[in-house]
Every structure is written in C-alpha cells, then in structure tokens.
Amino acid sequence: MFTLNELPTPLSMSALITQQLLENAEQALHEKDYRLAHELCLKALKQDSNNSQAHFLLAMNAMERREFKKAKTLLTVACRNHPNNADYALQLARLYTLLNLNTDAKAVCQTLIQNVSLNDLNGWQSDTLGVLLSRLNQHNEAHPYFFHAVTMCPENSEYRYNLGSNERFLGNFNSAIHHFQHIIEHTPTFYKAYLPITELRKATQDNHLIDKIQCVLPSFETSSDAHLHLCHSLAREFEALHQFSKAFYWWKTGNDEKRKTLPYHIHQDIALFNAVKKRTPSLMTPISGSHLVKTSSPQNNGPIPLFIIGLPRSGTTLLERMLSNHERIESFGELQDFPIAVKTLSQTPSSVVMDEATIFASQSLPPEKLRNEYYRRIQHHISNLPPSCQYFIDKLPLNFFNADLIAKTWPEAKILIMLRDPLDVCLGNFKQLFSVNFSYYNYSYDITDCAKYITAFRDLISHWQNIIPEHQVTTIEYENLVQAPEKHIKAITQFLQLPWQEQCLDFEKNQQPVSTASAVQVRKPLYKNAIRAWKKYSNELKPAINILNNAKLTQQ
C-alpha cells in the first residue's frame, strides 16, 4: 500500500508505464518477435512521444527487418535528442557502414569521440567503435578502443581477437600472437584464433598447433565455416613443416566442405567477364576522343586516382606499399566505393554489387555523375590528403572488372595492372581464406575453378590492353618487380611523371597499416622464394595445369 505522500504523480506513473513497455519491447526484440516489439514501442511513444529509447528500439527492429531507410530516420532522431549516447551513435554509424556511407559513418564516430571519453565507454561500446574505425581504414585510431575493451573484459575472446587483428594490421606481430594464443589457451573452441597464429609465426617440429587443432576439429564437423578455418590452419602448419601433400589435403578438405554449401558455379563468374567485354567498344576501337569525357568536377585540380588492379595474391599489395612510400603518393587501401558508385547510379534491383544487369546498365552512365558519386563516397579520405599529394591509390583488385569505366571517367587517371605466374596465383587463391561471406571469391574453393577464373581474367586483361590508351594503363609482372625492383619502380614513376625516390625500395619500413592477406609479407624485405612456389604442389595442381596449358598461359 502507498501512503498518501508516496502515491506516484500522473507523470511518474506514465514514466513507469513507458519504462515497462520499453523493457518488454527490448525482450521481444531479443526473442526476435519483431511485431510485438514494434507494437510495444508505439504504445510507449503514445505515453511519451519524444522518448528516444523508443525511437532507438524501433530503429533496431527496423534494422533486423532490413528496413534501413526507416532505421536511419529513427536513429537520427534518437541521436539528435541525445548526442552523447554512445549506443545510439554507434548503431547509427554501424548503419551507415552497412549502407556504404562511410563519410557519414566517420562523421558520427568523430562526434562520439569528441563528446564521450574513452573511460566512459563500456566493453561493447569500445569494441564496436574500434570495429567501425577499422572498417573506415582508421586502424591506428581504432587501437585504443580495442585495448580498452579487452581491459574492461579480459576474458571476452571476441574483443581480444579484434585487438589481436588490429595489432597484426599495425605490424605488432608479437603482441598479436600473444592475444591469439591467450584465446586458444582459455577458449580452445574459438576457432578463428588458430589461423592468424599460423600466418604470423612459422611452425617447427617443436612448436606447432597440429595436435591442438586436430583435437577441436571434430567439434565443428557440422559448421562449414569453423571447419574451413581449422582445415586451413592445419594446412599452414603442415606446409611450414614441408609436408606439402598433407598441407594440400587439408586445404582441399576444408574448401570442398565449404563449396558444398554454396549455390555457386564457375559459369556465374564467366558470365560476368563476358558481360564486361560486351559493355566496352570492340577490340578495333580504342577508347579515345569521343569516348573520353573531361568533367567539370572540382576534383580536377586535385590528386589523381591511381588504380592498382589484378587478381588477389598477385602482388598488388607489394606494389601499393612501394609506391605509397613516395612522398607524392598516398594510399586509401582496398576501397569498395567505385563498384558501389556504379551500382548506385545503375539503379539495378539486385542485392549484389555486381551482376550482369548492373554491368549492362553501367554502359550508359554519364562519366561526370560516376566521378562525382565516387568522390562523394571517399570524401572522408580526400579531406585528409596532404598538399604534396599528386596521386591517391585505390587498390581494390576486383576493379579489373571496371577498368573501362575508370578510363572513361578519368582521362587523367592511371591504371596499373599486376600480373603473376598463373599457377602461383591459382595456388595462392586456393590457399587463401578470404572473407567467407564475400561471394566474389567463391571460385577460390576449387582448384579447377581458380584456373578457369584466371583464364577469364587474362582474357579480359588482354581486352583492356587493346582498348585503353597507353598513357592510362601499364602492366607490371610480379616476377620482374621482385627480381629487379629499382628498374621497374623507376619505370612506374616515369609513367606517373613523378621524380624517382629511393625510399620506394624500402617498402618494409612503410608504417601504414595493412589489412590485406599480405599483411605479414609486406613487413619483410623483398624475397624471391615465392616465385614458382607452385612447383611444391605440381602433382596436386595437375587439373589446373591442364586448364592453363590449354589456354596457353603456362611457361613450365
């Protein structure tokens, strides 16, 4: 019983009702009862129309149902009413990254950093902010947030894994190994932590993870992703011990199981290659004159885009690191923004960035619109360029699908095509564990699919070499670059009309973070033992060798 003085006022009673409704809505959201969560939030807003938590939960509900436009509106309202609320800001920034609006995401993150001190963030908030900054290629800025998350929650393996990954990107390999080893010692079933250890240190007879991995492997036979990670980890350990047949067996075992779960056939990728060739002028009609449109973009007088394209594992990161050591070249890493700009302007209905419909629709895109959309998306990068910068690097390998559009959009842009021994690329792609949810690398799970993909790629590159003017594009072969780096980097700087700088050869001293598959290799001085590495697996590669031989792409 309440006494007379203890009776809630009408306002506090309303607040209590609103609080209970929102607690129930949050529980419904947790249980994935999105309809009930939506109804409860609307009832809460009838009690208090300005309640930011109700707007926030409605936004979370909309995001779960992939109603991103609605979620954006609701989160914007919540953040406007409570600019210092870390949960609201982080979810809005996360939504912007999902929508590939990275400039907006960066602005939200920077506002949060300015308004809320690190020590006021809990473990989840700090880790999430670190992840968002990493997605924006701000790996140095992300480090203190990952570190704080682990300090707050030292036994949270996911937070520690993110910190270890960040240390790896920054080149702090011993620290990274420490964190990954801590994970497998305390949580042996955290399968993602094994592979980076195998990549960061070389296994020996006295120091390897084979027994540990084989002990946990049976627990994940029904999980294709976990099984894939562990099989790749085993393969790398056996390769380091020069047991190449066993290494290949484990790569193939993991890849085969993953491949069974995918609705994929190599014909899907071959169709993309063919569609791209149809989009461009014929081989007898070089892109020139009327095909090239000079735009009135305000960026015309600014730094020039320098696109490095090629297959994964072909040496594109090595070339990027060498060139970005030049005082007049900055690198933005592997940007997704150009293909997303193409997709956005093409307005095709599919959920994938690149498909045949988008390729054909992009044929009629006005170069000025494509140019401006790309610059709008990377404004958060461009705004930080030093005055001395003449070129900025966009090193997304898959931009080889869009070389023609790049040439049309930027008559002044330069395109560097990286080529490597097809069998080394074939093996490298088969061995590489790419993002398991990124469908554009589905070919890599089968060695013959790798060979067919490389064949189609080489055919497309020949097409570009015939139709793109020589002043816009040049080709670099990995083997030549490794064996005579000064000669070939000098040739590239001449192509770019830049003065030679000796520091380009000291690429291993480049302090910029590296988040690609080559994060370890490019921190070491140049080595030549990766040339013709496929020879160790010549028996296992026979199906791929036959395909590449028939395409006249091998020089055995």
Side-chain angles (χ1 to χ4, degrees):
M1 288 283 299
F2 290 110
T3 66
L4 186 60
N5 291 333
E6 291 173 332
L7 282 174
T9 65
L11 181 61
S12 61
M13 181 65 77
S14 176
L16 286 171
I17 293 171
T18 302
Q19 180 181 346
Q20 187 61 57
L21 286 168
L22 292 176
E23 288 177 0
N24 293 342
E26 192 167 351
Q27 181 62 30
L29 193 58
H30 179 72
E31 295 172 355
K32 301 187 186 300
D33 190 342
Y34 303 128
R35 182 190 59 79
L36 177 60
H38 185 263
E39 291 176 359
L40 291 169
C41 286
L42 291 181
K43 288 180 180 180
L45 286 173
K46 284 185 178 180
Q47 296 287 328
D48 178 6
S49 61
N50 293 318
N51 190 287
S52 294
Q53 184 66 9
H55 286 110
F56 175 71
L57 292 176
L58 279 172
M60 295 298 95
N61 195 39
M63 284 181 68
E64 290 292 338
R65 296 189 293 186
R66 302 188 67 79
E67 297 173 350
F68 296 138
K69 185 176 181 180
K70 181 178 179 180
K72 177 184 171 185
T73 301
L74 291 162
L75 282 170
T76 301
V77 171
C79 288
R80 184 171 61 241
N81 293 338
H82 293 276
N84 295 339
N85 187 299
D87 288 341
Y88 298 172
L90 289 168
Q91 292 293 357
L92 180 58
R94 176 171 164 262
L95 176 60
Y96 280 137
T97 61
L98 289 173
L99 296 173
N100 295 299
L101 300 173
N102 289 338
T103 296
D104 296 318
K106 181 181 179 182
V108 173
C109 288
Q110 293 304 318
T111 300
L112 177 62
I113 290 169
Q114 292 168 7
N115 292 344
V116 181
S117 71
L118 176 63
N119 291 329
D120 289 334
L121 299 175
N122 62 33
W124 177 87
Q125 292 166 342
S126 191
D127 177 73
T128 301
L129 182 52
V131 170
L132 289 166
L133 291 170
S134 293
R135 290 177 181 172
L136 296 169
N137 289 325
Q138 295 184 285
H139 300 289
N140 284 306
E141 293 82 352
H143 183 267
Y145 295 97
F146 286 130
F147 188 84
H148 180 66
V150 171
T151 302
M152 296 280 291
C153 310
E155 298 311 313
N156 187 305
S157 295
E158 194 67 46
Y159 296 172
R160 191 175 289 276
Y161 178 81
N162 289 340
L163 175 58
S165 299
N166 177 260
E167 297 281 21
R168 180 188 183 189
F169 297 159
L170 296 177
N172 304 324
F173 296 150
N174 288 335
S175 180
I177 291 171
H178 163 75
H179 290 298
F180 294 132
Q181 286 181 332
H182 182 280
I183 293 172
I184 65 173
E185 287 168 7
H186 292 79
T187 316
T189 54
F190 194 91
Y191 62 87
K192 291 189 294 184
Y194 291 91
L195 186 59
I197 296 175
T198 70
E199 295 170 336
L200 290 167
R201 65 94 182 96
K202 191 171 182 179
T204 65
Q205 292 291 347
D206 299 323
N207 180 25
H208 59 75
L209 296 175
I210 293 172
D211 295 336
K212 282 188 177 182
I213 298 170
Q214 289 182 327
C215 184
V216 299
L217 186 60
S219 304
F220 294 104
E221 288 182 350
T222 59
S223 171
S224 63
D225 289 350
H227 186 260
L228 180 66
H229 274 84
L230 293 170
C231 286
H232 273 245
S233 302
L234 274 174
R236 291 195 63 88
E237 296 292 82
F238 280 118
E239 183 179 54
L241 298 174
H242 297 273
Q243 299 182 40
F244 301 119
S245 294
K246 285 186 178 180
F248 195 89
Y249 167 82
W250 284 110
W251 275 311
K252 189 173 187 305
T253 297
N255 286 359
D256 283 350
E257 289 303 310
K258 177 63 177 178
R259 180 68 180 79
K260 291 176 185 176
T261 69
L262 301 174
Y264 170 78
H265 193 282
I266 187 62
H267 291 161
Q268 296 166 232
D269 281 326
I270 301 302
L272 294 182
F273 283 101
N274 291 335
V276 168
K277 288 178 65 178
K278 291 178 182 177
R279 177 179 65 191
T280 59
S282 69
L283 292 174
M284 300 303 293
T285 311
I287 298 177
S288 60
S290 62
H291 288 99
L292 293 175
V293 179
K294 290 188 178 295
T295 74
S296 58
S297 166
Q299 298 294 338
N300 275 359
N301 296 323
I304 299 169
L306 172 59
F307 291 87
I308 298 178
I309 63 176
L311 286 171
R313 316 304 297 142
S314 65
T316 55
T317 301
L318 172 63
L319 179 60
E320 174 210 27
R321 300 290 285 184
M322 287 179 158
L323 292 177
S324 62
N325 249 13
H326 197 288
E327 291 177 354
R328 300 187 189 179
I329 302 176
E330 298 290 327
S331 178
F332 295 160
E334 296 189 1
L335 300 178
Q336 305 286 331
D337 297 273
F338 189 75
I340 291 172
V342 172
K343 176 69 175 181
T344 300
L345 295 179
S346 297
Q347 297 183 326
T348 49
S350 68
S351 59
V352 296
V353 173
M354 184 179 298
D355 56 11
E356 290 182 74
T358 303
I359 290 168
F360 289 127
S362 64
Q363 186 175 14
S364 58
L365 291 180
E368 184 171 359
K369 283 189 176 182
L370 186 51
R371 184 185 187 111
N372 290 339
E373 177 67 12
Y374 175 75
Y375 281 133
R376 184 184 70 81
R377 289 182 170 276
I378 64 169
Q379 186 57 43
H380 61 291
H381 289 299
I382 291 178
S383 60
N384 294 323
L385 288 174
S388 61
C389 179
Q390 287 184 232
Y391 288 94
F392 66 84
I393 295 174
D394 182 335
K395 194 199 78 71
L396 182 68
L398 293 177
N399 271 331
F400 61 72
F401 280 116
N402 289 316
D404 56 332
L405 296 182
I406 291 169
K408 293 178 186 179
T409 303
W410 287 277
E412 74 278 21
K414 304 297 183 183
I415 303 171
L416 307 181
I417 301 172
M418 195 74 186
L419 298 180
R420 187 178 183 180
D421 184 326
L423 282 167
D424 278 333
V425 176
C426 187
L427 178 64
N429 277 252
F430 184 71
K431 290 166 50 178
Q432 183 61 44
L433 184 55
F434 297 105
S435 175
V436 293
N437 296 317
F438 196 59
S439 62
Y440 296 104
Y441 296 127
N442 283 347
Y443 68 87
S444 67
Y445 296 116
D446 182 271
I447 198 69
T448 59
D449 284 349
C450 286
K452 292 173 183 176
Y453 194 95
I454 291 167
T455 300
F457 164 79
R458 284 297 192 110
D459 181 59
L460 181 61
I461 293 303
S462 295
H463 187 62
W464 295 151
Q465 290 169 330
N466 278 284
I467 68 170
I468 298 177
E470 291 182 358
H471 73 272
Q472 284 188 282
V473 64
T474 192
T475 302
I476 304 97
E477 294 191 6
Y478 171 83
E479 292 78 11
N480 293 339
L481 180 62
V482 169
Q483 292 172 335
E486 182 172 346
K487 173 184 176 182
H488 292 283
I489 292 297
K490 274 186 175 178
I492 295 171
T493 55
Q494 290 172 3
F495 174 72
L496 299 175
Q497 297 181 320
L498 292 177
W500 166 247
Q501 292 183 350
E502 195 77 25
Q503 65 215 40
C504 291
L505 301 178
D506 299 325
F507 66 93
E508 75 276 12
K509 298 177 183 177
N510 190 325
Q511 295 302 306
Q512 290 300 310
V514 189
S515 58
T516 70
S518 303
V520 177
Q521 293 96 319
V522 295
R523 300 283 186 185
K524 302 175 182 177
L526 207 59
Y527 56 90
K528 301 176 183 178
N529 59 358
I531 295 175
R532 297 176 75 79
W534 66 268
K535 285 282 191 179
K536 302 168 187 173
Y537 299 92
S538 56
N539 288 332
E540 292 81 2
L541 289 173
K542 283 181 179 177
I545 291 172
N546 290 335
I547 292 170
L548 294 170
N549 276 344
N550 290 336
K552 297 181 172 56
L553 291 176
T554 56
Q555 295 180 351
Q556 299 184 50

